[in-house]
PDB file of all heavy atoms in Angstrom:
ATOM      1  N   ARG A  13       0.829  -1.202   0.000  1.00 97.00           N
ATOM      2  CA  ARG A  13       0.000   0.000   0.000  1.00 97.00           C
ATOM      3  C   ARG A  13       0.869   1.260   0.000  1.00 97.00           C
ATOM      4  O   ARG A  13       1.980   1.259   0.535  1.00 97.00           O
ATOM      5  CB  ARG A  13      -0.940  -0.012   1.211  1.00 97.00           C
ATOM      6  CG  ARG A  13      -1.985  -1.121   1.133  1.00 97.00           C
ATOM      7  CD  ARG A  13      -3.094  -0.934   2.141  1.00 97.00           C
ATOM      8  NE  ARG A  13      -2.699  -1.301   3.486  1.00 97.00           N
ATOM      9  CZ  ARG A  13      -2.901  -2.487   4.045  1.00 97.00           C
ATOM     10  NH1 ARG A  13      -3.475  -3.458   3.354  1.00 97.00           N
ATOM     11  NH2 ARG A  13      -2.527  -2.724   5.285  1.00 97.00           N
ATOM     12  N   PRO A  14       0.356   2.365  -0.569  1.00 96.00           N
ATOM     13  CA  PRO A  14       1.150   3.601  -0.629  1.00 96.00           C
ATOM     14  C   PRO A  14       1.339   4.221   0.748  1.00 96.00           C
ATOM     15  O   PRO A  14       0.418   4.212   1.579  1.00 96.00           O
ATOM     16  CB  PRO A  14       0.324   4.509  -1.543  1.00 96.00           C
ATOM     17  CG  PRO A  14      -1.080   4.003  -1.432  1.00 96.00           C
ATOM     18  CD  PRO A  14      -0.957   2.514  -1.235  1.00 96.00           C
ATOM     19  N   ILE A  15       2.518   4.776   0.991  1.00 97.00           N
ATOM     20  CA  ILE A  15       2.820   5.366   2.292  1.00 97.00           C
ATOM     21  C   ILE A  15       1.926   6.572   2.576  1.00 97.00           C
ATOM     22  O   ILE A  15       1.483   6.773   3.718  1.00 97.00           O
ATOM     23  CB  ILE A  15       4.309   5.753   2.363  1.00 97.00           C
ATOM     24  CG1 ILE A  15       5.159   4.480   2.423  1.00 97.00           C
ATOM     25  CG2 ILE A  15       4.593   6.650   3.573  1.00 97.00           C
ATOM     26  CD1 ILE A  15       6.650   4.729   2.289  1.00 97.00           C
ATOM     27  N   LEU A  16       1.619   7.374   1.554  1.00 96.00           N
ATOM     28  CA  LEU A  16       0.775   8.554   1.767  1.00 96.00           C
ATOM     29  C   LEU A  16      -0.660   8.172   2.096  1.00 96.00           C
ATOM     30  O   LEU A  16      -1.372   8.942   2.749  1.00 96.00           O
ATOM     31  CB  LEU A  16       0.793   9.452   0.536  1.00 96.00           C
ATOM     32  CG  LEU A  16       2.137  10.054   0.126  1.00 96.00           C
ATOM     33  CD1 LEU A  16       1.945  10.996  -1.060  1.00 96.00           C
ATOM     34  CD2 LEU A  16       2.785  10.791   1.279  1.00 96.00           C
ATOM     35  N   GLY A  17      -1.090   7.000   1.656  1.00 96.00           N
ATOM     36  CA  GLY A  17      -2.457   6.574   1.866  1.00 96.00           C
ATOM     37  C   GLY A  17      -3.396   7.198   0.841  1.00 96.00           C
ATOM     38  O   GLY A  17      -3.064   8.194   0.196  1.00 96.00           O
ATOM     39  N   PRO A  18      -4.581   6.633   0.684  1.00 95.00           N
ATOM     40  CA  PRO A  18      -5.557   7.210  -0.244  1.00 95.00           C
ATOM     41  C   PRO A  18      -6.215   8.443   0.374  1.00 95.00           C
ATOM     42  O   PRO A  18      -6.371   8.538   1.595  1.00 95.00           O
ATOM     43  CB  PRO A  18      -6.571   6.074  -0.432  1.00 95.00           C
ATOM     44  CG  PRO A  18      -6.486   5.278   0.834  1.00 95.00           C
ATOM     45  CD  PRO A  18      -5.067   5.376   1.301  1.00 95.00           C
ATOM     46  N   ALA A  19      -6.612   9.377  -0.477  1.00 96.00           N
ATOM     47  CA  ALA A  19      -7.192  10.637  -0.002  1.00 96.00           C
ATOM     48  C   ALA A  19      -8.407  10.399   0.886  1.00 96.00           C
ATOM     49  O   ALA A  19      -8.597  11.097   1.891  1.00 96.00           O
ATOM     50  CB  ALA A  19      -7.559  11.509  -1.192  1.00 96.00           C
ATOM     51  N   GLU A  20      -9.235   9.401   0.554  1.00 96.00           N
ATOM     52  CA  GLU A  20     -10.452   9.185   1.342  1.00 96.00           C
ATOM     53  C   GLU A  20     -10.153   8.772   2.776  1.00 96.00           C
ATOM     54  O   GLU A  20     -10.915   9.105   3.701  1.00 96.00           O
ATOM     55  CB  GLU A  20     -11.363   8.150   0.663  1.00 96.00           C
ATOM     56  CG  GLU A  20     -10.769   6.772   0.442  1.00 96.00           C
ATOM     57  CD  GLU A  20     -10.059   6.640  -0.895  1.00 96.00           C
ATOM     58  OE1 GLU A  20      -9.676   7.673  -1.483  1.00 96.00           O
ATOM     59  OE2 GLU A  20      -9.879   5.487  -1.353  1.00 96.00           O
ATOM     60  N   ARG A  21      -9.042   8.069   2.996  1.00 95.00           N
ATOM     61  CA  ARG A  21      -8.692   7.700   4.369  1.00 95.00           C
ATOM     62  C   ARG A  21      -8.080   8.894   5.101  1.00 95.00           C
ATOM     63  O   ARG A  21      -8.365   9.129   6.277  1.00 95.00           O
ATOM     64  CB  ARG A  21      -7.723   6.516   4.376  1.00 95.00           C
ATOM     65  CG  ARG A  21      -8.347   5.244   3.843  1.00 95.00           C
ATOM     66  CD  ARG A  21      -7.763   4.007   4.489  1.00 95.00           C
ATOM     67  NE  ARG A  21      -8.319   2.800   3.881  1.00 95.00           N
ATOM     68  CZ  ARG A  21      -9.475   2.256   4.213  1.00 95.00           C
ATOM     69  NH1 ARG A  21     -10.213   2.818   5.152  1.00 95.00           N
ATOM     70  NH2 ARG A  21      -9.903   1.164   3.614  1.00 95.00           N
ATOM     71  N   VAL A  22      -7.228   9.620   4.411  1.00 96.00           N
ATOM     72  CA  VAL A  22      -6.618  10.808   5.019  1.00 96.00           C
ATOM     73  C   VAL A  22      -7.697  11.797   5.447  1.00 96.00           C
ATOM     74  O   VAL A  22      -7.588  12.444   6.502  1.00 96.00           O
ATOM     75  CB  VAL A  22      -5.624  11.460   4.037  1.00 96.00           C
ATOM     76  CG1 VAL A  22      -5.141  12.815   4.559  1.00 96.00           C
ATOM     77  CG2 VAL A  22      -4.434  10.526   3.807  1.00 96.00           C
ATOM     78  N   GLN A  23      -8.762  11.908   4.667  1.00 96.00           N
ATOM     79  CA  GLN A  23      -9.856  12.821   5.000  1.00 96.00           C
ATOM     80  C   GLN A  23     -10.608  12.398   6.256  1.00 96.00           C
ATOM     81  O   GLN A  23     -11.275  13.223   6.886  1.00 96.00           O
ATOM     82  CB  GLN A  23     -10.820  12.916   3.817  1.00 96.00           C
ATOM     83  CG  GLN A  23     -10.248  13.691   2.637  1.00 96.00           C
ATOM     84  CD  GLN A  23     -11.099  13.574   1.383  1.00 96.00           C
ATOM     85  OE1 GLN A  23     -11.860  12.624   1.224  1.00 96.00           O
ATOM     86  NE2 GLN A  23     -10.957  14.528   0.474  1.00 96.00           N
ATOM     87  N   ALA A  24     -10.467  11.123   6.649  1.00 95.00           N
ATOM     88  CA  ALA A  24     -11.262  10.610   7.769  1.00 95.00           C
ATOM     89  C   ALA A  24     -10.492  10.511   9.087  1.00 95.00           C
ATOM     90  O   ALA A  24     -11.100  10.339  10.143  1.00 95.00           O
ATOM     91  CB  ALA A  24     -11.816   9.230   7.407  1.00 95.00           C
ATOM     92  N   PHE A  25      -9.169  10.599   9.056  1.00 96.00           N
ATOM     93  CA  PHE A  25      -8.401  10.428  10.289  1.00 96.00           C
ATOM     94  C   PHE A  25      -8.733  11.514  11.307  1.00 96.00           C
ATOM     95  O   PHE A  25      -8.868  12.696  10.966  1.00 96.00           O
ATOM     96  CB  PHE A  25      -6.900  10.451  10.006  1.00 96.00           C
ATOM     97  CG  PHE A  25      -6.397   9.247   9.252  1.00 96.00           C
ATOM     98  CD1 PHE A  25      -5.402   9.388   8.288  1.00 96.00           C
ATOM     99  CD2 PHE A  25      -6.897   7.986   9.499  1.00 96.00           C
ATOM    100  CE1 PHE A  25      -4.927   8.290   7.590  1.00 96.00           C
ATOM    101  CE2 PHE A  25      -6.436   6.878   8.809  1.00 96.00           C
ATOM    102  CZ  PHE A  25      -5.446   7.028   7.847  1.00 96.00           C
ATOM    103  N   ALA A  26      -8.831  11.107  12.576  1.00 95.00           N
ATOM    104  CA  ALA A  26      -9.132  12.036  13.659  1.00 95.00           C
ATOM    105  C   ALA A  26      -8.088  11.905  14.757  1.00 95.00           C
ATOM    106  O   ALA A  26      -7.178  11.067  14.690  1.00 95.00           O
ATOM    107  CB  ALA A  26     -10.535  11.761  14.205  1.00 95.00           C
ATOM    108  N   GLN A  27      -8.228  12.732  15.779  1.00 95.00           N
ATOM    109  CA  GLN A  27      -7.278  12.773  16.892  1.00 95.00           C
ATOM    110  C   GLN A  27      -7.068  11.387  17.503  1.00 95.00           C
ATOM    111  O   GLN A  27      -5.950  10.978  17.802  1.00 95.00           O
ATOM    112  CB  GLN A  27      -7.785  13.752  17.941  1.00 95.00           C
ATOM    113  CG  GLN A  27      -6.817  14.007  19.083  1.00 95.00           C
ATOM    114  CD  GLN A  27      -7.410  14.969  20.102  1.00 95.00           C
ATOM    115  OE1 GLN A  27      -8.487  14.724  20.655  1.00 95.00           O
ATOM    116  NE2 GLN A  27      -6.727  16.085  20.341  1.00 95.00           N
ATOM    117  N   GLY A  28      -8.160  10.647  17.686  1.00 96.00           N
ATOM    118  CA  GLY A  28      -8.065   9.328  18.302  1.00 96.00           C
ATOM    119  C   GLY A  28      -7.281   8.333  17.466  1.00 96.00           C
ATOM    120  O   GLY A  28      -6.599   7.455  18.015  1.00 96.00           O
ATOM    121  N   ASP A  29      -7.359   8.462  16.149  1.00 96.00           N
ATOM    122  CA  ASP A  29      -6.605   7.560  15.262  1.00 96.00           C
ATOM    123  C   ASP A  29      -5.101   7.785  15.425  1.00 96.00           C
ATOM    124  O   ASP A  29      -4.313   6.828  15.472  1.00 96.00           O
ATOM    125  CB  ASP A  29      -7.006   7.789  13.805  1.00 96.00           C
ATOM    126  CG  ASP A  29      -8.474   7.521  13.560  1.00 96.00           C
ATOM    127  OD1 ASP A  29      -8.939   6.428  13.920  1.00 96.00           O
ATOM    128  OD2 ASP A  29      -9.151   8.415  13.026  1.00 96.00           O
ATOM    129  N   LEU A  30      -4.699   9.049  15.495  1.00 96.00           N
ATOM    130  CA  LEU A  30      -3.281   9.381  15.657  1.00 96.00           C
ATOM    131  C   LEU A  30      -2.768   8.899  17.011  1.00 96.00           C
ATOM    132  O   LEU A  30      -1.724   8.246  17.097  1.00 96.00           O
ATOM    133  CB  LEU A  30      -3.086  10.889  15.519  1.00 96.00           C
ATOM    134  CG  LEU A  30      -3.403  11.471  14.135  1.00 96.00           C
ATOM    135  CD1 LEU A  30      -3.566  12.978  14.225  1.00 96.00           C
ATOM    136  CD2 LEU A  30      -2.318  11.121  13.139  1.00 96.00           C
ATOM    137  N   ALA A  31      -3.500   9.210  18.069  1.00 95.00           N
ATOM    138  CA  ALA A  31      -3.088   8.794  19.412  1.00 95.00           C
ATOM    139  C   ALA A  31      -3.055   7.275  19.523  1.00 95.00           C
ATOM    140  O   ALA A  31      -2.172   6.698  20.180  1.00 95.00           O
ATOM    141  CB  ALA A  31      -4.034   9.388  20.453  1.00 95.00           C
ATOM    142  N   GLY A  32      -3.993   6.604  18.849  1.00 94.00           N
ATOM    143  CA  GLY A  32      -4.032   5.147  18.906  1.00 94.00           C
ATOM    144  C   GLY A  32      -2.825   4.510  18.250  1.00 94.00           C
ATOM    145  O   GLY A  32      -2.286   3.509  18.755  1.00 94.00           O
ATOM    146  N   PHE A  33      -2.359   5.075  17.124  1.00 94.00           N
ATOM    147  CA  PHE A  33      -1.180   4.519  16.456  1.00 94.00           C
ATOM    148  C   PHE A  33       0.062   4.721  17.316  1.00 94.00           C
ATOM    149  O   PHE A  33       0.929   3.843  17.401  1.00 94.00           O
ATOM    150  CB  PHE A  33      -0.989   5.170  15.084  1.00 94.00           C
ATOM    151  CG  PHE A  33      -0.007   4.448  14.204  1.00 94.00           C
ATOM    152  CD1 PHE A  33      -0.376   3.325  13.495  1.00 94.00           C
ATOM    153  CD2 PHE A  33       1.310   4.891  14.097  1.00 94.00           C
ATOM    154  CE1 PHE A  33       0.522   2.644  12.682  1.00 94.00           C
ATOM    155  CE2 PHE A  33       2.220   4.222  13.289  1.00 94.00           C
ATOM    156  CZ  PHE A  33       1.834   3.098  12.578  1.00 94.00           C
ATOM    157  N   VAL A  34       0.154   5.877  17.983  1.00 94.00           N
ATOM    158  CA  VAL A  34       1.272   6.122  18.900  1.00 94.00           C
ATOM    159  C   VAL A  34       1.255   5.096  20.020  1.00 94.00           C
ATOM    160  O   VAL A  34       2.277   4.471  20.348  1.00 94.00           O
ATOM    161  CB  VAL A  34       1.198   7.551  19.481  1.00 94.00           C
ATOM    162  CG1 VAL A  34       2.195   7.713  20.633  1.00 94.00           C
ATOM    163  CG2 VAL A  34       1.498   8.576  18.400  1.00 94.00           C
ATOM    164  N   ASP A  35       0.098   4.891  20.642  1.00 92.00           N
ATOM    165  CA  ASP A  35      -0.004   3.941  21.752  1.00 92.00           C
ATOM    166  C   ASP A  35       0.341   2.524  21.310  1.00 92.00           C
ATOM    167  O   ASP A  35       0.907   1.740  22.074  1.00 92.00           O
ATOM    168  CB  ASP A  35      -1.423   3.968  22.324  1.00 92.00           C
ATOM    169  CG  ASP A  35      -1.712   5.248  23.098  1.00 92.00           C
ATOM    170  OD1 ASP A  35      -0.750   5.937  23.489  1.00 92.00           O
ATOM    171  OD2 ASP A  35      -2.905   5.567  23.293  1.00 92.00           O
ATOM    172  N   GLU A  36       0.006   2.211  20.063  1.00 92.00           N
ATOM    173  CA  GLU A  36       0.210   0.855  19.558  1.00 92.00           C
ATOM    174  C   GLU A  36       1.651   0.582  19.156  1.00 92.00           C
ATOM    175  O   GLU A  36       2.143  -0.545  19.310  1.00 92.00           O
ATOM    176  CB  GLU A  36      -0.713   0.638  18.359  1.00 92.00           C
ATOM    177  CG  GLU A  36      -0.823  -0.806  17.904  1.00 92.00           C
ATOM    178  CD  GLU A  36      -1.865  -0.995  16.813  1.00 92.00           C
ATOM    179  OE1 GLU A  36      -2.630  -0.047  16.539  1.00 92.00           O
ATOM    180  OE2 GLU A  36      -1.909  -2.089  16.225  1.00 92.00           O
ATOM    181  N   HIS A  37       2.355   1.602  18.659  1.00 93.00           N
ATOM    182  CA  HIS A  37       3.655   1.347  18.038  1.00 93.00           C
ATOM    183  C   HIS A  37       4.834   2.157  18.579  1.00 93.00           C
ATOM    184  O   HIS A  37       5.984   1.805  18.313  1.00 93.00           O
ATOM    185  CB  HIS A  37       3.563   1.591  16.530  1.00 93.00           C
ATOM    186  CG  HIS A  37       2.652   0.642  15.822  1.00 93.00           C
ATOM    187  ND1 HIS A  37       2.966  -0.682  15.619  1.00 93.00           N
ATOM    188  CD2 HIS A  37       1.418   0.829  15.287  1.00 93.00           C
ATOM    189  CE1 HIS A  37       1.978  -1.274  14.975  1.00 93.00           C
ATOM    190  NE2 HIS A  37       1.023  -0.384  14.766  1.00 93.00           N
ATOM    191  N   TYR A  38       4.588   3.235  19.300  1.00 94.00           N
ATOM    192  CA  TYR A  38       5.692   4.099  19.722  1.00 94.00           C
ATOM    193  C   TYR A  38       6.171   3.754  21.128  1.00 94.00           C
ATOM    194  O   TYR A  38       6.303   4.617  21.997  1.00 94.00           O
ATOM    195  CB  TYR A  38       5.272   5.574  19.627  1.00 94.00           C
ATOM    196  CG  TYR A  38       5.414   6.173  18.236  1.00 94.00           C
ATOM    197  CD1 TYR A  38       5.049   5.451  17.100  1.00 94.00           C
ATOM    198  CD2 TYR A  38       5.902   7.454  18.043  1.00 94.00           C
ATOM    199  CE1 TYR A  38       5.169   5.984  15.831  1.00 94.00           C
ATOM    200  CE2 TYR A  38       6.022   8.009  16.771  1.00 94.00           C
ATOM    201  CZ  TYR A  38       5.647   7.266  15.675  1.00 94.00           C
ATOM    202  OH  TYR A  38       5.777   7.809  14.418  1.00 94.00           O
ATOM    203  N   GLY A  39       6.455   2.477  21.357  1.00 94.00           N
ATOM    204  CA  GLY A  39       7.010   2.037  22.630  1.00 94.00           C
ATOM    205  C   GLY A  39       8.521   2.191  22.650  1.00 94.00           C
ATOM    206  O   GLY A  39       9.167   2.264  21.594  1.00 94.00           O
ATOM    207  N   PRO A  40       9.142   2.224  23.828  1.00 96.00           N
ATOM    208  CA  PRO A  40      10.599   2.430  23.910  1.00 96.00           C
ATOM    209  C   PRO A  40      11.410   1.337  23.239  1.00 96.00           C
ATOM    210  O   PRO A  40      12.501   1.585  22.729  1.00 96.00           O
ATOM    211  CB  PRO A  40      10.864   2.486  25.420  1.00 96.00           C
ATOM    212  CG  PRO A  40       9.701   1.786  26.049  1.00 96.00           C
ATOM    213  CD  PRO A  40       8.535   2.085  25.161  1.00 96.00           C
ATOM    214  N   ASP A  41      10.879   0.107  23.209  1.00 94.00           N
ATOM    215  CA  ASP A  41      11.596  -0.997  22.569  1.00 94.00           C
ATOM    216  C   ASP A  41      11.583  -0.892  21.052  1.00 94.00           C
ATOM    217  O   ASP A  41      12.321  -1.611  20.373  1.00 94.00           O
ATOM    218  CB  ASP A  41      10.986  -2.334  22.994  1.00 94.00           C
ATOM    219  CG  ASP A  41       9.504  -2.433  22.664  1.00 94.00           C
ATOM    220  OD1 ASP A  41       8.792  -1.424  22.845  1.00 94.00           O
ATOM    221  OD2 ASP A  41       9.051  -3.508  22.239  1.00 94.00           O
ATOM    222  N   ARG A  42      10.765   0.020  20.503  1.00 95.00           N
ATOM    223  CA  ARG A  42      10.722   0.231  19.050  1.00 95.00           C
ATOM    224  C   ARG A  42      11.515   1.475  18.648  1.00 95.00           C
ATOM    225  O   ARG A  42      11.542   1.836  17.477  1.00 95.00           O
ATOM    226  CB  ARG A  42       9.261   0.405  18.589  1.00 95.00           C
ATOM    227  CG  ARG A  42       8.335  -0.743  18.942  1.00 95.00           C
ATOM    228  CD  ARG A  42       8.460  -1.898  17.981  1.00 95.00           C
ATOM    229  NE  ARG A  42       8.015  -1.571  16.643  1.00 95.00           N
ATOM    230  CZ  ARG A  42       6.739  -1.574  16.253  1.00 95.00           C
ATOM    231  NH1 ARG A  42       5.773  -1.868  17.107  1.00 95.00           N
ATOM    232  NH2 ARG A  42       6.421  -1.297  15.000  1.00 95.00           N
ATOM    233  N   MET A  43      12.140   2.141  19.618  1.00 97.00           N
ATOM    234  CA  MET A  43      12.834   3.399  19.359  1.00 97.00           C
ATOM    235  C   MET A  43      14.345   3.226  19.412  1.00 97.00           C
ATOM    236  O   MET A  43      14.873   2.535  20.297  1.00 97.00           O
ATOM    237  CB  MET A  43      12.424   4.457  20.386  1.00 97.00           C
ATOM    238  CG  MET A  43      10.972   4.860  20.314  1.00 97.00           C
ATOM    239  SD  MET A  43      10.580   6.158  21.524  1.00 97.00           S
ATOM    240  CE  MET A  43       8.877   6.537  21.064  1.00 97.00           C
ATOM    241  N   ILE A  44      15.030   3.859  18.478  1.00 98.00           N
ATOM    242  CA  ILE A  44      16.493   3.850  18.430  1.00 98.00           C
ATOM    243  C   ILE A  44      16.959   5.296  18.313  1.00 98.00           C
ATOM    244  O   ILE A  44      16.617   5.987  17.350  1.00 98.00           O
ATOM    245  CB  ILE A  44      17.010   3.038  17.236  1.00 98.00           C
ATOM    246  CG1 ILE A  44      16.516   1.596  17.305  1.00 98.00           C
ATOM    247  CG2 ILE A  44      18.542   3.093  17.164  1.00 98.00           C
ATOM    248  CD1 ILE A  44      16.619   0.852  15.989  1.00 98.00           C
ATOM    249  N   PHE A  45      17.716   5.748  19.293  1.00 98.00           N
ATOM    250  CA  PHE A  45      18.314   7.075  19.215  1.00 98.00           C
ATOM    251  C   PHE A  45      19.704   6.909  18.603  1.00 98.00           C
ATOM    252  O   PHE A  45      20.530   6.149  19.113  1.00 98.00           O
ATOM    253  CB  PHE A  45      18.429   7.725  20.599  1.00 98.00           C
ATOM    254  CG  PHE A  45      19.034   9.099  20.561  1.00 98.00           C
ATOM    255  CD1 PHE A  45      18.235  10.220  20.480  1.00 98.00           C
ATOM    256  CD2 PHE A  45      20.410   9.272  20.569  1.00 98.00           C
ATOM    257  CE1 PHE A  45      18.787  11.494  20.405  1.00 98.00           C
ATOM    258  CE2 PHE A  45      20.981  10.531  20.503  1.00 98.00           C
ATOM    259  CZ  PHE A  45      20.161  11.651  20.419  1.00 98.00           C
ATOM    260  N   ALA A  46      19.955   7.610  17.515  1.00 98.00           N
ATOM    261  CA  ALA A  46      21.255   7.536  16.850  1.00 98.00           C
ATOM    262  C   ALA A  46      21.818   8.936  16.687  1.00 98.00           C
ATOM    263  O   ALA A  46      21.086   9.886  16.390  1.00 98.00           O
ATOM    264  CB  ALA A  46      21.129   6.861  15.487  1.00 98.00           C
ATOM    265  N   ALA A  47      23.133   9.061  16.903  1.00 98.00           N
ATOM    266  CA  ALA A  47      23.789  10.361  16.752  1.00 98.00           C
ATOM    267  C   ALA A  47      25.199  10.152  16.234  1.00 98.00           C
ATOM    268  O   ALA A  47      25.878   9.186  16.605  1.00 98.00           O
ATOM    269  CB  ALA A  47      23.828  11.105  18.088  1.00 98.00           C
ATOM    270  N   ALA A  48      25.648  11.065  15.383  1.00 98.00           N
ATOM    271  CA  ALA A  48      27.000  11.000  14.834  1.00 98.00           C
ATOM    272  C   ALA A  48      27.543  12.406  14.690  1.00 98.00           C
ATOM    273  O   ALA A  48      26.805  13.368  14.492  1.00 98.00           O
ATOM    274  CB  ALA A  48      26.997  10.290  13.484  1.00 98.00           C
ATOM    275  N   GLY A  49      28.866  12.508  14.803  1.00 97.00           N
ATOM    276  CA  GLY A  49      29.529  13.805  14.702  1.00 97.00           C
ATOM    277  C   GLY A  49      30.265  14.118  15.980  1.00 97.00           C
ATOM    278  O   GLY A  49      30.951  13.258  16.549  1.00 97.00           O
ATOM    279  N   ALA A  50      30.092  15.342  16.468  1.00 97.00           N
ATOM    280  CA  ALA A  50      30.786  15.791  17.683  1.00 97.00           C
ATOM    281  C   ALA A  50      30.006  15.347  18.919  1.00 97.00           C
ATOM    282  O   ALA A  50      29.470  16.166  19.673  1.00 97.00           O
ATOM    283  CB  ALA A  50      30.946  17.305  17.655  1.00 97.00           C
ATOM    284  N   VAL A  51      29.938  14.046  19.117  1.00 97.00           N
ATOM    285  CA  VAL A  51      29.099  13.502  20.184  1.00 97.00           C
ATOM    286  C   VAL A  51      29.932  13.099  21.400  1.00 97.00           C
ATOM    287  O   VAL A  51      31.082  12.691  21.286  1.00 97.00           O
ATOM    288  CB  VAL A  51      28.293  12.280  19.693  1.00 97.00           C
ATOM    289  CG1 VAL A  51      27.376  12.673  18.547  1.00 97.00           C
ATOM    290  CG2 VAL A  51      29.203  11.140  19.263  1.00 97.00           C
ATOM    291  N   ASP A  52      29.301  13.212  22.562  1.00 96.00           N
ATOM    292  CA  ASP A  52      29.826  12.696  23.824  1.00 96.00           C
ATOM    293  C   ASP A  52      28.828  11.626  24.267  1.00 96.00           C
ATOM    294  O   ASP A  52      27.720  11.948  24.702  1.00 96.00           O
ATOM    295  CB  ASP A  52      29.923  13.823  24.848  1.00 96.00           C
ATOM    296  CG  ASP A  52      30.449  13.360  26.202  1.00 96.00           C
ATOM    297  OD1 ASP A  52      30.209  12.190  26.571  1.00 96.00           O
ATOM    298  OD2 ASP A  52      31.081  14.173  26.909  1.00 96.00           O
ATOM    299  N   HIS A  53      29.195  10.361  24.131  1.00 97.00           N
ATOM    300  CA  HIS A  53      28.241   9.280  24.374  1.00 97.00           C
ATOM    301  C   HIS A  53      27.679   9.316  25.787  1.00 97.00           C
ATOM    302  O   HIS A  53      26.462   9.150  25.977  1.00 97.00           O
ATOM    303  CB  HIS A  53      28.897   7.922  24.113  1.00 97.00           C
ATOM    304  CG  HIS A  53      27.951   6.763  24.279  1.00 97.00           C
ATOM    305  ND1 HIS A  53      26.993   6.438  23.337  1.00 97.00           N
ATOM    306  CD2 HIS A  53      27.796   5.865  25.307  1.00 97.00           C
ATOM    307  CE1 HIS A  53      26.304   5.385  23.745  1.00 97.00           C
ATOM    308  NE2 HIS A  53      26.764   5.027  24.937  1.00 97.00           N
ATOM    309  N   ASP A  54      28.523   9.531  26.770  1.00 97.00           N
ATOM    310  CA  ASP A  54      28.035   9.537  28.153  1.00 97.00           C
ATOM    311  C   ASP A  54      27.025  10.648  28.385  1.00 97.00           C
ATOM    312  O   ASP A  54      26.010  10.452  29.068  1.00 97.00           O
ATOM    313  CB  ASP A  54      29.213   9.681  29.128  1.00 97.00           C
ATOM    314  CG  ASP A  54      30.113   8.457  29.127  1.00 97.00           C
ATOM    315  OD1 ASP A  54      29.637   7.368  28.721  1.00 97.00           O
ATOM    316  OD2 ASP A  54      31.292   8.583  29.517  1.00 97.00           O
TER     317      ASP A  54
END
């Protein structure tokens, strides 16, 4: 399926849909913080 989604679905998304996707997928075990350059790891 296309990443942008079809216009008819985009027209229907509401606040609860966005919050629900965050609750479902944005857990700490799914997150990777990456940094490069003038970094101090500690």
Side-chain angles (χ1 to χ4, degrees):
R13 293 193 283 266
I15 290 171
L16 298 184
E20 59 270 21
R21 294 211 184 277
V22 171
Q23 288 170 337
F25 291 143
Q27 186 181 57
D29 299 307
L30 295 164
F33 193 81
V34 169
D35 288 342
E36 192 174 350
H37 295 288
Y38 277 41
D41 58 320
R42 303 279 294 278
M43 295 182 174
I44 301 162
F45 180 93
V51 299
D52 179 329
H53 183 76
D54 292 338

